[in-house]
Amino acid sequence: MKVQIIYSSLSGKTKRLAEAIAVGITEADTWTLHNLKDGEPELDGDIILLGYWVDKGGPEKKMQEFMKKVSGKAVGIFCTLGFYADSTHANQSVNAGIDIVKKNNTIIGSYVCNGALSEQIIKMFRKNGTQGTHSTSPENEIRWSIMASHPTKAECELGAERFRERIEIYRRFQEKGLPFKSIS
Ligand SMILES: Cc1cc2nc3c(=O)[nH]c(=O)nc-3n(C[C@H](O)[C@H](O)[C@H](O)COP(=O)(O)O)c2cc1C
């Protein structure tokens, strides 16, 4: 099967995850990797994995627009974000992506993990002072420093495992003529 991994990444965190997912795909499948900053690829894969950095609790704009064009495919969704990966916000951020594609596609899986705010964004937040969400605070500073190395190797490997397994399940179902019911 042909797997297309298409992602958007501003500061490299989602790119790191996308590359790990690509490397984790078994030899039974072929894959291509596209960064949306290089333009929108032709959708000729059997399976499309769409990855984005979270902006305002959902896919950033370029990916949002691209997602609307994906139809009739087996689709996986992944993203990285600055807030906690096990938070309601993270859940909503990955679901916001799923919601765009689920009507016209089969959802085979999703994965959300921590990214990290870039140094540039942190510097900007520090300039904003201490008031509001996009500002510095002792709490934010601690979280940013602990999260700075995300996504970690372990997070990348888990994402790779998630999609490697789903692709394998999807393929075996196809071989036996079994339907894969969208999981979302
Ligand atoms: C303009 C902007 C908006 C963001 N909005 C959110 C947000 O709503 N929630 C969140 O948890 N992180 C948010 N982030 C953090 C990024 O999603 C996070 O740092 C991500 O891992 C960056 O991935 P990248 O390196 O692939 O660009 C935002 C970052 C930027 C620059």
Side-chain angles (χ1 to χ4, degrees):
M1 276 195 189
K2 181 175 177 186
V3 183
Q4 281 181 292
I5 304 161
I6 303 162
Y7 67 92
S8 61
S9 182
L10 209 57
S11 57
K13 316 299 177 192
T14 316
K15 180 174 192 275
R16 188 189 305 163
L17 177 60
E19 287 171 352
I21 290 169
V23 168
I25 288 172
T26 67
E27 284 173 9
D29 303 291
T30 60
W31 56 265
T32 55
L33 197 59
H34 309 262
N35 188 335
L36 271 190
K37 83 169 167 43
D38 301 325
E40 295 187 353
E42 188 191 336
L43 283 161
D44 58 0
D46 308 295
I47 295 175
I48 314 291
L49 304 183
L50 298 167
Y52 52 88
W53 61 275
V54 170
D55 183 6
K56 296 181 214 74
E60 57 73 39
K61 203 159 188 323
K62 244 190 199 148
M63 179 54 82
Q64 255 187 54
E65 290 310 310
F66 184 68
M67 284 174 145
K68 292 175 192 161
K69 300 173 192 167
V70 182
S71 182
K73 302 285 187 184
V75 171
I77 299 290
F78 61 96
C79 60
T80 71
L81 82 171
F83 199 55
Y84 301 115
D86 51 345
S87 63
T88 305
H89 178 66
N91 217 354
Q92 286 167 345
S93 298
V94 69
N95 278 320
I98 291 170
D99 282 346
I100 298 173
V101 291
K102 71 178 183 190
K103 187 164 168 267
N104 296 325
N105 299 279
T106 301
I107 307 297
I108 62 162
S110 68
Y111 182 68
V112 52
C113 75
N114 274 116
L117 291 185
S118 65
E119 267 307 308
Q120 202 186 354
I121 295 289
I122 290 176
K123 274 185 194 146
M124 202 175 78
F125 282 5
R126 283 184 184 137
K127 276 193 194 146
N128 290 343
T130 55
Q131 301 302 310
T133 324
H134 296 150
S135 60
T136 186
S137 67
E139 293 91 335
N140 279 351
E141 293 288 347
I142 290 170
R143 189 161 49 82
W144 294 337
S145 69
I146 299 275
M147 298 290 186
S149 58
H150 288 258
T152 60
K153 191 165 175 269
E155 283 173 316
C156 288
E157 281 172 358
L158 185 57
E161 180 187 76
R162 171 76 39 87
F163 291 111
R164 181 170 56 244
E165 285 183 355
R166 292 302 157 82
I167 291 165
E168 179 71 18
I169 291 168
Y170 183 80
R171 189 198 14 249
R172 291 210 209 163
F173 279 20
Q174 290 275 97
E175 283 166 4
K176 293 199 179 303
L178 301 168
F180 189 108
K181 293 197 186 92
S182 218
I183 66 163
S184 300

